[in-house]
């Protein structure tokens, strides 16, 4: 299994726009070969938003990532976010 995890740090006034962007990523990923689960999450103790995607393999993720993220390529993340997201590519240890 392979996990793509992105922790976003939205400016409070742009949290809804960033969440909508994350939902567009979720929609673009539907039907991707090897995708097991995808979703957007909000941390209850902060303003952070977390994108979590579980894949059968890293190869499956890499085969679909460019097409999926094209759905939000023009979104103004630099205006919406306090800092770039913390992105993790996780494999089981």
């Amino acid at each position: 299994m392979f996990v793509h995890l992105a922790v976003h740090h939205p400016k409070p006034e742009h949290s809804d726009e960033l969440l909508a962007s994350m939902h567009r990523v979720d929609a673009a990923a539907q039907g991707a070969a090897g995708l097991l689960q995808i979703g957007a999450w909000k941390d209850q103790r902060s303003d952070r938003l977390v994108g979590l995607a579980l894949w059968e393999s890293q190869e499956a993720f890499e085969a679909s990532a460019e097409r999926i993220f094209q759905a939000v390529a023009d979104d103004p993340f630099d205006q919406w976010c306090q800092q770039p997201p913390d992105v993790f590519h996780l494999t089981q240890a």
Side-chain angles (χ1 to χ4, degrees):
M1 183 181 298
F2 178 76
V3 177
H4 174 84
L5 176 78
V7 180
H8 298 275
H9 307 271
K11 294 177 182 174
E13 67 272 19
H14 293 293
S15 185
D16 289 342
E17 288 98 335
L18 183 55
L19 187 58
S21 176
M22 294 171 73
H23 287 303
R24 287 193 296 279
V25 168
D26 296 350
Q30 295 308 310
L35 178 65
L36 302 173
Q37 181 179 348
I38 192 168
W41 303 80
K42 179 167 176 38
D43 181 58
Q44 292 183 345
R45 297 180 298 167
S46 72
D47 290 329
R48 289 176 292 192
L49 299 173
V50 177
L52 174 67
L54 307 177
W55 293 84
E56 289 178 358
S57 67
Q58 184 171 352
E59 293 78 19
F61 167 76
E62 290 172 353
S64 296
E66 184 176 340
R67 178 189 60 79
I68 291 168
F69 291 110
Q70 189 62 36
V72 297
D74 294 328
D75 287 357
F77 296 109
D78 59 330
Q79 296 173 20
W80 293 347
C81 299
Q82 297 176 18
Q83 66 188 60
D86 299 313
V87 178
F88 302 89
H89 288 169
L90 309 172
T91 53
Q92 196 165 18

